[in-house]
């Protein structure tokens, strides 16, 4: 059975090992952008083993996080306990998650490029509706340059991001930071090496 026939089973198997597939430290772009985030609460989408949601909680935010792989959620709970923080982890795919209307002060999405253009548009619409007015969205993703590096990500051109795509998806947002760059990253065994990256932080209109 291929990953595309049953992605949940594939990812659950990948998360089954003892180690942390993407490491235990937060994404570098996320940690660098802490000053842009609002106080209050946050949602970490497709959060995997919890490295980013746990970090957010350690900085005083009330955090919800979801992932569709049970093994990832179990690891995330252990990581939160290790760091003595509380995170509301939910085992769910994006279609079934309870996207509460105008609920979050921040929404964080790090390398969640599992969706093609049609599903991505639906996810972005959920993000927009679930952010409060004035809420902050942070996205870290791979650009088409990642295809030459092959050090992580979906390996599909239409799953990758560029600045125009993100600005067009959230046209009325105030861009607080946007960067397209290449850098060597070391985030566990799954994201390791020189990478084509984009970082995007924007604020929903009040």
């Amino acid at each position: 059975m291929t990953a595309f026939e049953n992605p949940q089973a594939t990812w659950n198997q990948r998360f089954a090992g003892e180690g942390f597939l993407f490491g235990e430290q937060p994404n570098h772009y996320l940690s660098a952008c802490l000053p842009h985030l609002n106080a209050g609460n946050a949602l970490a989408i497709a959060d995997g083993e919890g490295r980013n949601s746990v970090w957010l909680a350690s900085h005083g935010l009330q955090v919800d996080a979801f992932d569709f792989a049970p093994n990832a959620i179990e690891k995330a709970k252990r990581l939160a306990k290790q760091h003595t923080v509380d995170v509301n982890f939910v085992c769910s795919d994006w279609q079934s998650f309870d996207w509460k209307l105008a609920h979050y002060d921040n929404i964080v999405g790090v390398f969640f490029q599992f969706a093609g253009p049609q599903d991505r548009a639906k996810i972005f619409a959920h993000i927009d509706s679930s952010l409060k007015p004035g809420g902050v969205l942070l996205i870290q993703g791979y650009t088409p340059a990642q295809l030459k590096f092959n050090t992580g990500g979906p390996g599909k051109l239409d799953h990758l991001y560029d600045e125009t795509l993100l600005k067009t998806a959230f046209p009325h947002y105030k861009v607080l930071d946007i960067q397209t760059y290449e850098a060597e990253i070391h985030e566990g065994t799954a994201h390791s090496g020189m990478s084509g990256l984009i970082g995007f932080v924007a604020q929903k209109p009040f």
Side-chain angles (χ1 to χ4, degrees):
M1 183 173 289
T2 70
F4 301 110
E5 287 171 346
N6 194 335
Q8 183 181 36
T10 300
W11 277 104
N12 202 45
Q13 185 176 15
R14 292 188 72 188
F15 287 126
E18 281 300 312
F20 281 73
L21 190 62
F22 297 100
E24 298 181 40
Q25 300 303 312
N27 171 258
H28 182 267
Y29 183 74
L30 170 60
S31 61
C33 289
L34 178 62
H36 290 307
L37 299 181
N38 291 322
N41 63 21
L43 171 65
I45 67 177
D47 190 52
E49 300 155 308
R51 65 191 178 106
N52 295 314
S53 58
V54 167
W55 180 84
L56 289 165
S58 75
H59 283 81
L61 294 166
Q62 294 179 309
V63 183
D64 293 341
F66 73 83
D67 196 276
F68 71 173
N71 285 333
I73 295 294
E74 288 307 309
K75 281 187 181 178
K77 289 178 178 178
R78 293 202 302 269
L79 188 65
K81 184 175 182 180
Q82 176 185 325
H83 287 268
T84 61
V85 296
D86 291 321
V87 176
N88 177 35
F89 293 110
V90 178
C91 189
S92 175
D93 56 23
W94 67 267
Q95 296 96 327
S96 303
F97 182 71
D98 180 14
W99 297 90
K100 297 172 183 170
L101 183 64
H103 180 75
Y104 291 106
D105 298 296
N106 309 276
I107 294 181
V108 170
V110 175
F111 297 127
F112 65 105
Q113 290 166 281
F114 51 79
Q118 288 187 333
D119 281 346
R120 180 174 62 226
K122 295 175 184 177
I123 295 168
F124 284 174
H126 282 306
I127 289 171
D128 178 57
S129 67
S130 205
L131 268 175
K132 295 177 181 177
V136 169
L137 167 63
L138 183 148
I139 291 175
Q140 165 90 110
Y142 287 118
T143 68
Q146 181 63 9
L147 295 177
K148 69 183 179 183
F149 295 119
N150 196 30
T151 52
K156 289 183 166 186
L157 181 61
D158 66 356
H159 287 224
L160 301 174
Y161 301 156
D162 60 27
E163 293 189 12
T164 299
L165 185 154
L166 293 175
K167 288 180 179 178
T168 301
F170 300 96
H172 304 300
Y173 281 46
K174 178 183 178 181
V175 177
L176 305 179
D177 185 75
I178 190 163
Q179 302 179 33
T180 298
Y181 59 105
E182 296 179 1
E184 189 162 332
I185 64 173
H186 299 283
E187 300 183 353
T189 58
H191 289 166
S192 183
M194 189 60 68
S195 305
L197 303 167
I198 187 166
F200 177 70
V201 184
Q203 185 177 40
K204 184 176 180 176
F206 285 95

